[in-house]
Amino acid sequence: MRILISGNRRGLGAALTQSFSQHGHQVWGFSPASPPPNQVDVSNFEQVQAWVESVVQHYGPPDLVIANAATVLAPTPLAQVDPGDFSRLIDVNVKGMFYFFRAVLPHMSSGVLIGISSGYGRTTSPRMGPYCTSKWAVEGLVKTLASELPKTMAAVALDPGTLQTDMLRQALGEGARFFPTPDQWVDKAVRLILGLGPEHNGQSLSV
């Protein structure tokens, strides 16, 4: 299976990349912190499109696409959130997912696209307004895409659960240590993801 992942340098993206590779799948990923040619800013469509075109040209279209790249702000009341910070978060979490899907869809006639969502995309929490906003948008983006796909494809919004990542530490501080690490989570996640197919199109699932 050929797999593309955005935001695969750390956290759950890195854990997924390693696990898929260990299971014998071909995996390509990008992030701003990766060395060239995988150093890509997901909020820049031209960079994302060029990366996708290069991978597809050399290795063929993907069977699985995981739009994972995201960022979070420190917990802050909406009335105090910096507008520039809010805009940057939307650029990465929402527009970046659209850019990734937009770049890869012309090359796919079958396969699964996963938008990494969150419990914050199905509920809300005080002081987490920007992140909640972005993940609710992810749910809408994925479900709309699902309504447009052929019967050979699926788009799924996947809540990975609460994991001990850099983003969670930024949001919860010391409280993040009570949650599982990506390495403790990844085997269950990979089993679920590899079992997805057209019959799951449009669903909102959780690990």
Side-chain angles (χ1 to χ4, degrees):
M1 181 180 288
R2 293 184 293 269
I3 303 172
L4 305 185
I5 304 179
S6 66
N8 78 321
R9 187 68 173 176
R10 59 183 183 176
L12 66 91
L16 286 171
T17 298
Q18 182 177 11
S19 184
F20 283 130
S21 297
Q22 290 173 345
H23 282 78
H25 301 288
Q26 296 177 291
V27 188
W28 297 270
F30 67 82
S31 81
S34 298
N38 300 317
Q39 187 178 66
V40 175
D41 179 356
V42 75
S43 69
N44 184 307
F45 178 64
E46 287 73 22
Q47 290 185 24
V48 175
Q49 186 176 44
W51 183 86
V52 168
E53 295 283 347
S54 177
V55 173
V56 170
Q57 180 180 357
H58 287 91
Y59 305 104
D63 305 294
L64 173 64
V65 176
I66 303 176
N68 166 66
T71 189
V72 69
L73 303 181
T76 307
L78 272 173
Q80 299 174 20
V81 171
D82 180 82
D85 291 342
F86 187 96
S87 180
R88 174 61 182 167
L89 182 142
I90 296 299
D91 284 348
V92 173
N93 295 13
V94 182
K95 292 164 69 175
M97 185 172 293
F98 162 70
Y99 291 160
F100 194 21
F101 289 162
R102 176 63 179 82
V104 78
L105 278 165
H107 304 286
M108 299 178 69
S109 58
S110 63
V112 175
L113 300 103
I114 295 175
I116 295 297
S117 184
S118 170
Y120 286 125
R122 301 167 192 176
T123 185
T124 59
S125 179
R127 298 164 57 86
M128 292 297 293
Y131 192 73
C132 291
T133 299
S134 72
K135 291 303 182 179
W136 277 76
V138 163
E139 294 277 335
L141 175 64
V142 170
K143 288 183 181 297
T144 302
L145 175 59
S147 71
E148 300 170 351
L149 293 176
K151 296 184 182 301
T152 54
M153 297 182 67
V156 173
L158 182 64
D159 169 17
T162 306
L163 301 178
Q164 190 182 143
T165 62
D166 289 344
M167 286 208 313
L168 188 68
R169 282 186 282 273
Q170 185 173 350
L172 296 185
E174 288 298 315
R177 71 183 188 278
F178 296 110
F179 295 94
T181 67
D183 289 341
Q184 293 168 327
W185 159 92
V186 72
D187 287 343
K188 183 177 182 180
V190 164
R191 287 195 299 271
L192 186 155
I193 290 170
L194 292 178
L196 297 177
E199 66 272 22
H200 300 99
N201 188 38
Q203 295 185 14
S204 293
L205 303 175
S206 301
V207 179

